[in-house]
Amino acid sequence: MAGAGKEPRQAAATRRRGAALEEAILRAAAEVLKESGVPGLTMDEVARRAGTNKNALYRRWPNRVALGVAAYRRLAAAETVLPDTGSLRGDTLEMLRRANSTWSSPYGEILRGLIAAAGGTPELLARLRDPAADGTHEAAWLTLLGRAVARGEAAPEALHPRVAYAPMALLRNEYVTLGVPAVPEAVLTEIVDEVFLPLVRGRSPHGSGPHRSASGLHGPLPP
């Protein structure tokens, strides 16, 4: 009778398929990453927490690093909350500040650990570093730029994925090339004021766009 209570749970775990099982695995992997970091992420531990076997993991991810990348992206997507400061400049700076804070937090330590572990696997590095590989974050940046278009701060021609994600791509480049735990506030401001906002203005129908103050886009485009 002592073992009878376990049978329903075991049967339930066995019956899980597809998205439900994958969600359980990713949730378990994310928990391990948060608790033990990349060194503690093992297929055995994730399978145990997910209530499944290692074969179920290996059918979806070839190794623990690939699983870790997928779990990290799940964590990062859950942390994406859009600011709404009322201006494109304010929203962009806030998004960069949050990313900067994350990089120097335990989440950043996880990301750096995964980058190191995936050093010999270009496709995994691409999923960690390439903005286009993360649809959730790209959608968030497009939403911010879309709001600016709706407010009249930017022309519709500026609403392009590469334009929207330019600030984050530049910030990531600072991390990768300099290997710093955090980027100075002055650099964040420079990314916004010297690169991103001029890029947005340059996407207007007339090429150079209307004149704006040095502090960024603050008023609606003229008719």
Side-chain angles (χ1 to χ4, degrees), residues 99-105 112 171 174-175 178-185 187-188:
N100 205 31
S101 176
T102 297
W103 181 255
S104 59
S105 75
R112 290 192 292 275
L171 181 60
E174 292 287 324
Y175 298 142
L178 301 180
V180 294
V183 175
E185 174 73 14
V187 174
L188 303 184

Side-chain angles (χ1 to χ4, degrees), residues 8-203:
R9 288 195 296 272
Q10 292 172 342
T14 303
R15 286 195 298 269
R16 287 180 304 175
R17 296 288 187 273
L21 178 55
E22 184 167 317
E23 172 66 16
I25 294 170
L26 287 174
R27 184 168 58 249
E31 290 173 357
V32 175
L33 283 175
K34 287 190 291 184
E35 293 174 12
S36 308
V38 177
L41 184 72
T42 66
M43 299 300 242
D44 284 319
E45 177 61 15
V46 174
R48 184 188 70 79
R49 292 196 185 206
T52 186
N53 56 65
K54 288 193 295 184
N55 289 338
L57 277 62
Y58 282 114
R59 283 196 295 270
R60 293 163 173 80
W61 299 278
N63 52 56
R64 75 182 191 96
V65 179
L67 172 58
V69 170
Y72 174 80
R73 289 181 58 182
R74 184 184 189 280
L75 282 173
E79 291 293 314
T80 302
V81 179
L82 295 181
D84 191 1
T85 66
S87 75
L88 179 59
R89 183 180 189 273
D91 288 349
T92 305
L93 273 173
E94 179 61 22
M95 285 285 278
L96 291 182
R97 286 167 180 154
R98 291 180 184 181
N100 205 31
S101 176
T102 297
W103 181 255
S104 59
S105 75
Y107 283 102
E109 184 177 347
I110 292 170
L111 177 57
R112 290 192 292 275
L114 287 171
I115 289 174
T121 313
E123 60 270 25
L124 291 180
L125 286 174
R127 290 178 68 80
L128 287 169
R129 292 176 175 166
D130 183 3
D134 192 340
T136 301
H137 281 77
E138 182 176 292
W141 283 93
L142 279 170
T143 298
L144 292 188
L145 190 51
R147 289 177 182 172
V149 171
R151 287 192 299 259
E153 289 184 271
E157 288 80 3
L159 194 57
H160 186 284
R162 292 191 183 277
V163 174
Y165 215 95
M168 194 63 203
L170 290 170
L171 181 60
R172 284 180 181 238
N173 185 65
E174 292 287 324
Y175 298 142
V176 173
T177 58
L178 301 180
V180 294
V183 175
E185 174 73 14
V187 174
L188 303 184
T189 303
E190 188 176 72
I191 287 172
V192 176
D193 290 341
E194 303 300 326
V195 181
F196 181 57
L197 296 180
L199 175 62
V200 171
R201 292 196 296 269
R203 298 285 294 188

